[in-house]
Amino acid sequence: MKEITIDQFICCIEGWLEIIIDSKSNIRLYESEQSICVKMEGDYIIGGLPKDESKYSYLYEKVKESFEGKYEIDTVSQHDTSGRYGLLMAIGRIILDFDYDSEEGQNWLYENF
């Protein structure tokens, strides 16, 4: 998997906002090997995040700051019958799916939403 910075990730979203007109695009944020990854035209590891549980808040806050006034929280719900939580954030026609599997990631979702 290729590594991208959080700023590159934000730039990708900004670029897609300019070209997505008639449809929606989903971007999935997930965990792999204790890293936060993103699935968008391939899989990437988001580099430069804190190594502890603050990585979830750091990423979320950077996205919120970058798209202040342009985003809304779509849904916070259980993804499946096992009680796993997920968060959907809409930025224009782009849907970010915060889909964390680890206990640490699930705790962050549960405690913050």
Side-chain angles (χ1 to χ4, degrees), residues 4-60:
I4 61 172
T5 66
I6 193 162
D7 291 333
Q8 289 171 316
F9 174 57
I10 298 296
C11 285
C12 287
I13 295 172
E14 290 170 341
W16 283 9
L17 284 171
E18 293 180 19
I19 61 172
I20 296 175
I21 297 169
D22 295 331
S23 62
K24 288 192 176 195
S25 181
N26 292 336
I27 298 175
R28 181 175 168 246
L29 294 155
Y30 65 98
E31 295 170 295
S32 178
E33 300 176 18
Q34 300 180 342
S35 296
I36 296 179
C37 303
V38 59
K39 184 167 192 69
M40 55 177 193
E41 305 281 326
D43 292 291
Y44 300 89
I45 293 173
I46 300 177
L49 296 176
K51 299 294 181 198
D52 60 8
E53 67 273 355
S54 67
K55 64 187 170 196
Y56 305 103
S57 293
Y58 182 81
L59 175 61
Y60 179 74

Side-chain angles (χ1 to χ4, degrees), residues 26-29 60 71-77 79 85-91 94-99 109 113:
N26 292 336
I27 298 175
R28 181 175 168 246
L29 294 155
Y60 179 74
Y71 75 90
E72 59 185 70
I73 301 302
D74 244 7
T75 308
V76 180
S77 65
H79 268 15
Y85 283 91
L87 167 70
L88 298 178
M89 174 191 273
I91 304 170
I94 295 174
I95 306 296
L96 295 183
D97 181 2
F98 294 80
D99 186 20
L109 285 166
F113 302 100

